Amino acid sequence: MKFTGVNLLDELAREELKELRDLFNARSFTGGTIIYTPEEAENLVFIVGRGRVRVYLAYAEKEFTLGILNPGDVYATHAECYVQALDDAELLTAPVHAVRRVMDSVPTFTRTMVRVLGHILKNSFLIIGGLAFKDIYSRLMDFMLVQARQSGVPEGEGIRLSLDLTIEQLAQHMGASRQTVSTLLGELSRAGLVLKQARGVFFIPDMDALERAAGTER
């Protein structure tokens, strides 16, 4: 799922943005690599050029995913989060101070950055709220509902949802163990609420039933 309707890779290909494009250098990373940590010394802006990267917080032995960035999304290292390559990935990086000098002339870049940061801030509040007021079962149902509304594909009377996440990665979204999430998905399946069709692919037969179970009727 992309956070915005703008792909900065397409924008940077425009001739009039050559000055901005020339600020960025490509860096490649293998899947699973921790690219940046909260202690990162470099103050960088980066655009995802290829693959997907995960932005997350870690506390003790738990991890909480704030967002998954796709090609064309932009972020910065000074946000004091962990950044991990989910797939083999390429990032286009540039120093913040260099980008700042030309940002005023590139409103698209600024708007996209604000939208991505806004989405991650929203996810942060959802995580905090979920940890304070909801158990993991409810958080998992909420996550499925949000993803289905945003990127689900109608199939018959239900919704087909392709998350492109392993159970372990889904567990990291929930701040739970892989075993816990696997068990809860089994319970959702037995209840007929969320059916696993393939790796990372799920089918929700009845969105209303899932909303009632999650207590989020609209």
Side-chain angles (χ1 to χ4, degrees):
M1 177 189 70
K2 269 196 64 60
F3 288 168
T4 73
V6 176
N7 187 321
L8 281 179
L9 299 176
D10 295 335
E11 293 297 312
L12 288 178
R14 294 162 47 193
E15 183 59 32
E16 59 267 33
L17 297 187
K18 184 179 184 303
E19 180 182 2
L20 177 60
R21 182 173 66 248
D22 289 346
L23 297 177
F24 288 86
N25 296 302
R27 298 184 182 182
S28 296
F29 304 90
T30 57
T33 301
I34 305 299
I35 303 172
Y36 301 116
T37 71
E39 294 77 31
E40 176 61 40
E42 291 185 284
N43 197 2
L44 302 172
V45 171
F46 67 83
I47 300 170
V48 182
R50 174 171 54 84
R52 298 173 302 158
V53 301
R54 178 170 72 109
V55 179
Y56 69 99
L57 300 174
Y59 180 75
E61 296 182 355
K62 290 189 175 181
E63 297 179 358
F64 303 94
T65 298
L66 301 180
I68 293 178
L69 308 183
N70 294 281
D73 283 332
V74 60
Y75 204 59
T77 61
H78 66 265
E80 296 189 356
C81 298
Y82 289 89
V83 178
Q84 178 188 32
L86 286 182
D87 317 307
D88 290 345
E90 180 181 81
L91 300 187
L92 307 178
T93 67
V96 168
H97 66 83
V99 174
R100 186 183 296 125
R101 288 200 301 265
V102 298
M103 277 184 67
D104 289 343
S105 62
V106 190
T108 298
F109 188 96
T110 306
R111 288 196 301 269
T112 300
M113 173 70 88
V114 169
R115 288 172 185 168
V116 171
L117 293 177
H119 188 100
I120 287 180
L121 180 61
K122 178 182 177 181
N123 280 359
S124 301
F125 284 123
L126 288 175
I127 288 171
I128 293 169
L131 291 173
F133 303 112
K134 294 186 176 183
D135 59 23
I136 179 60
Y137 191 66
S138 297
R139 299 206 304 271
L140 180 58
M141 286 190 286
D142 285 347
F143 176 80
M144 290 292 185
L145 284 168
V146 169
Q147 297 303 311
R149 292 174 187 139
Q150 293 179 341
S151 58
V153 177
E155 186 174 285
E157 296 183 357
I159 297 291
R160 186 174 188 269
L161 178 60
S162 297
L163 293 178
D164 197 19
L165 296 172
T166 65
I167 297 298
E168 182 176 358
Q169 290 167 346
L170 182 56
Q172 290 166 344
H173 266 281
M174 302 294 104
S177 69
R178 183 187 186 284
Q179 181 178 356
T180 296
V181 170
S182 182
T183 298
L184 294 180
L185 284 173
E187 292 182 12
L188 288 173
S189 179
R190 287 190 291 275
L193 295 172
V194 178
L195 309 177
K196 185 176 180 180
Q197 293 185 324
R199 181 176 180 270
V201 181
F202 301 88
F203 180 70
I204 301 174
D206 187 337
M207 284 285 288
D208 291 339
L210 185 58
E211 287 174 352
R212 288 193 296 271
T216 59
E217 296 98 333
R218 293 186 299 170

